[in-house]
Amino acid sequence: MINNTIKGLIVDKLSFFFNYLSNDGQFLAGVYQYKNNVEFSVLYYRDNLIPLQTLGGLESAIFGGSDTNFFVGYSLDQNGELYPVLWDIYGRISKVMNFPGIAYSLSYNGQYLTGLYRDKSGESMPFIYDYKTNNFEKITNLRIANYKYAIIKSINDSKNICGSIICFESDKSIPFVCVNGKPFIPGSIIEGYFFQISNDNKAVGYIVTNI
């Protein structure tokens, strides 16, 4: 939660981005951006702002949630390092792992969490974490030609995922769906992005075709 009494804070410079709305419409979550630079996580319950803990740093953001009312994103710690985190409905925070990174989504039942983490070599890799079995899985099959940087934006209760794969050379992204461990990319496209996958494996997003 943003402290409006912070010295020098210009409230008019805050922009709110909605990243998550619960199915019952009770929870609304996202991020305030300050001067298009600094980010602050925000969570509303029935129009009431819930104070959110951090890992000790200034910035944080919420990117997704589950039907079990947990929310994921990132928080900076006191040293300025960015970590994937999870919040409950009371605003209490827990670190997902000890590797730096970002959490992007939770499955609808709250069992699976996806995100990016930075390994010991400094490479950023997508991952899936299973809260039921405490299993951590690094995803390595989402690299195609020059498109090597995958972001998993959504995961369903069957552990099927969708998102985009980015090419740094062209700064373009192509959408993907991965069902039962098998990636699928729509044909005849220039770029695109998938944002959410349903439990019946339908994905929503956008594509730009070369036709």
Side-chain angles (χ1 to χ4, degrees):
M1 184 178 71
I2 299 173
N3 183 354
N4 288 336
T5 64
I6 295 176
K7 186 176 181 180
L9 180 70
I10 305 172
V11 177
D12 292 342
K13 297 295 184 180
L14 291 170
S15 301
F16 182 52
F17 293 89
F18 302 94
N19 290 328
Y20 175 77
L21 177 66
S22 62
N23 282 328
D24 59 10
Q26 301 296 312
F27 290 94
L28 177 66
V31 58
Y32 274 115
Q33 281 191 353
Y34 185 59
K35 295 184 177 181
N36 296 318
N37 188 17
V38 182
E39 293 186 325
F40 305 94
S41 58
V42 60
L43 176 63
Y44 286 95
Y45 174 65
R46 295 182 178 177
D47 297 326
N48 295 310
L49 191 62
I50 298 176
L52 296 173
Q53 293 178 351
T54 71
L55 296 180
L58 177 63
E59 293 189 63
S60 60
I62 293 177
F63 295 119
S66 69
D67 291 344
T68 55
N69 296 329
F70 286 93
F71 313 92
V72 293
Y74 80 84
S75 176
L76 296 183
D77 67 5
Q78 64 273 18
N79 298 316
E81 190 66 84
L82 179 146
Y83 287 95
V85 295
L86 179 140
W87 286 273
D88 65 16
I89 59 174
Y90 304 105
R92 296 176 298 204
I93 194 172
S94 58
K95 188 189 296 185
V96 175
M97 62 176 66
N98 290 322
F99 286 107
I102 299 174
Y104 282 114
S105 67
L106 279 168
S107 59
Y108 301 97
N109 61 7
Q111 180 176 346
Y112 303 110
L113 179 148
T114 72
L116 283 173
Y117 82 103
R118 191 171 71 244
D119 62 20
K120 292 180 180 179
S121 69
E123 184 178 12
S124 292
M125 294 291 297
F127 72 89
I128 297 174
Y129 180 74
D130 186 335
Y131 274 101
K132 187 174 182 179
T133 64
N134 292 321
N135 181 59
F136 172 83
E137 180 181 357
K138 180 169 66 173
I139 307 302
T140 59
N141 64 340
L142 296 175
R143 297 184 175 190
I144 300 173
N146 291 328
Y147 291 81
K148 299 179 179 180
Y149 186 78
I151 297 178
I152 303 172
K153 288 295 292 184
S154 180
I155 186 167
N156 65 20
D157 294 346
S158 299
K159 211 171 80 168
N160 298 322
I161 56 178
C162 74
S164 73
I165 311 172
I166 300 170
C167 176
F168 283 128
E169 287 82 358
S170 65
D171 199 30
K172 289 184 177 181
S173 64
I174 54 175
F176 76 87
V177 173
C178 190
V179 176
N180 297 326
K182 298 179 179 180
F184 168 78
I185 296 173
S188 302
I189 63 168
I190 299 174
E191 60 181 310
Y193 211 121
F194 286 149
F195 296 101
Q196 187 171 0
I197 186 170
S198 65
N199 273 333
D200 58 356
N201 298 323
K202 292 182 173 65
V204 294
Y206 77 91
I207 58 173
V208 179
T209 67
N210 57 10
I211 300 175

